[in-house]
Amino acid sequence: MIAESNINYNRIAEAIVYIKENFKNQPNLDEVAEKVHLSPFHFQRLFTEWVGVSPKKFLQYISIEHAKQTLKNQQATLFDTAYETGLSGTGRLHDLFVKIEGMTPGEYKNEGKNLVITYSFTESPFGKVLVASTQKGICHMAFVDHEEHAFKGLKMLFPEADFDQRVDRIQQNALCIFTQDWKNLDQIKLHLKGTDFQLNIWKALLKIPKGGLTTYGTIAKCINKPKASRAVGTAIGSNPVAFLIPCHRVIQATGDTGQYRWGSTRKTIMIGWEATQVDDN
């Protein structure tokens, strides 16, 4: 078993290197499988098992990262970016960005230009919170220790946006989550950007009831990716909206609460607080 595992590891490692070095040629499944001396079917299954995503999706991730770096060059056009990434045209570049990043390449290049973000700081049962919104909904929510550092972090996410420090109706509605039963609130709107995979994970998190807990493995099964627990954990850790998208309700299969973007101690307290709220109701 160990010998076979080592062979499979070496094959997958070779495939990853090959894809990274040849992504501009957009190699297909058959080509990469032949490189590591496997049938396309066997290679697809083995790669997905080891990496957590299919070879095609991995190629898309490599391609999008190169495209993003190219777009950061202010002189680069969308056509230039498509060509440099090995895509046949701007249409494929557009489709790739929408599928992986949840935005068009133009929107990515603008980095929030012409977007007005309203933000404010407030107290919650678990410490100070920074909440930010656009006209479409909440785009960011985080527990903070230092307001200045937190605002700099928000600006890094939307470097070209205009910011206005004030409380709006969207924020007020969202912040009621700490004081009322969310089922009695008007629908809280979110304005998020993320990959299809991340958005699916965040949607799954919204289904975890208040006071309830689940595991990373269970979330993976919910999105039909039972072997992608590691990728699921990464997506959960990148949740941009604290508490509203309840990533704190996901724990390890052992029962350990695990890590949390805004502190493991805060996560433990939040889980206990919610359990008390449910018992009181």
Side-chain angles (χ1 to χ4, degrees):
M1 289 293 293
I2 295 178
E4 182 180 357
S5 180
N6 287 338
I7 292 173
N8 289 337
Y9 168 80
N10 289 331
R11 281 173 167 165
I12 298 306
E14 182 180 358
I16 288 174
V17 171
Y18 183 81
I19 293 172
K20 286 183 175 180
E21 291 180 347
N22 296 275
F23 73 92
K24 290 187 179 182
N25 297 324
Q26 296 292 297
N28 59 32
L29 177 65
D30 291 351
E31 181 180 342
V32 185
E34 182 180 0
K35 183 68 178 178
V36 295
H37 311 293
L38 291 173
S39 70
F41 175 80
H42 189 194
F43 172 65
Q44 169 100 353
R45 182 181 62 78
L46 194 65
F47 190 96
T48 304
E49 180 180 328
W50 278 78
V51 182
V53 296
S54 68
K56 180 179 179 180
K57 183 67 71 174
F58 183 77
L59 174 61
Q60 290 176 338
Y61 288 152
I62 298 299
S63 300
I64 199 75
E65 287 305 314
H66 181 78
K68 286 160 67 175
Q69 292 300 317
T70 304
L71 283 174
K72 287 182 179 179
N73 178 357
Q74 294 302 313
Q75 302 303 316
T77 66
L78 299 185
F79 178 82
D80 294 334
T81 304
Y83 177 80
E84 286 296 323
T85 310
L87 302 175
S88 58
T90 56
R92 283 195 62 193
L93 180 68
H94 177 277
D95 293 344
L96 181 66
F97 261 87
V98 170
K99 186 174 184 61
I100 302 297
E101 290 294 320
M103 66 179 77
T104 67
E107 289 171 337
Y108 177 83
K109 187 176 179 66
N110 288 338
E111 296 184 315
K113 191 174 183 179
N114 300 323
L115 185 67
V116 177
I117 296 178
T118 303
Y119 73 98
S120 63
F121 295 92
T122 190
E123 295 295 333
S124 80
F126 316 109
K128 185 169 290 186
V129 170
L130 165 62
V131 57
S133 58
T134 69
Q135 291 183 338
K136 294 182 179 180
I138 299 296
C139 62
H140 183 74
M141 186 166 168
F143 296 104
V144 304
D145 295 319
H146 305 286
E147 291 188 9
E148 183 178 352
H149 292 166
F151 179 60
K152 286 182 179 178
L154 177 62
K155 289 187 69 175
M156 288 179 64
L157 296 174
F158 305 94
E160 296 296 327
D162 293 323
F163 293 89
D164 181 12
Q165 186 172 7
R166 64 181 174 84
V167 180
D168 62 19
R169 183 64 178 272
I170 293 175
Q171 295 171 27
Q172 288 178 326
N173 192 37
L175 291 170
C176 285
I177 196 78
F178 293 114
T179 57
Q180 302 178 33
D181 181 352
W182 68 271
K183 292 181 180 178
N184 295 327
L185 299 176
D186 294 333
Q187 184 178 7
I188 298 174
K189 297 181 180 179
L190 300 176
H191 184 190
L192 306 179
K193 62 177 182 178
T195 67
D196 281 353
F197 184 78
Q198 288 174 325
L199 292 173
N200 284 335
I201 295 296
W202 299 338
K203 287 178 183 178
L205 297 180
L206 290 171
K207 297 177 182 179
I208 309 172
K210 182 178 181 180
L213 297 174
T214 191
T215 65
Y216 296 95
T218 300
I219 294 294
K221 292 177 182 177
C222 285
I223 62 166
N224 297 318
K225 301 286 186 182
K227 296 182 179 180
S229 293
R230 184 176 300 177
V232 166
T234 300
I236 290 174
S238 62
N239 169 28
V241 182
F243 201 81
L244 285 177
I245 298 179
C247 56
H248 60 279
R249 296 174 188 164
V250 184
I251 63 174
Q252 296 178 2
T254 60
D256 185 82
T257 56
Q259 298 300 310
Y260 183 55
R261 182 174 179 179
W262 295 282
S264 56
T265 299
R266 178 178 277 121
K267 179 178 182 178
T268 301
I269 293 172
M270 290 164 67
I271 291 173
W273 182 82
E274 287 193 331
T276 302
Q277 296 289 309
V278 172
D279 289 342
D280 288 346
N281 291 332

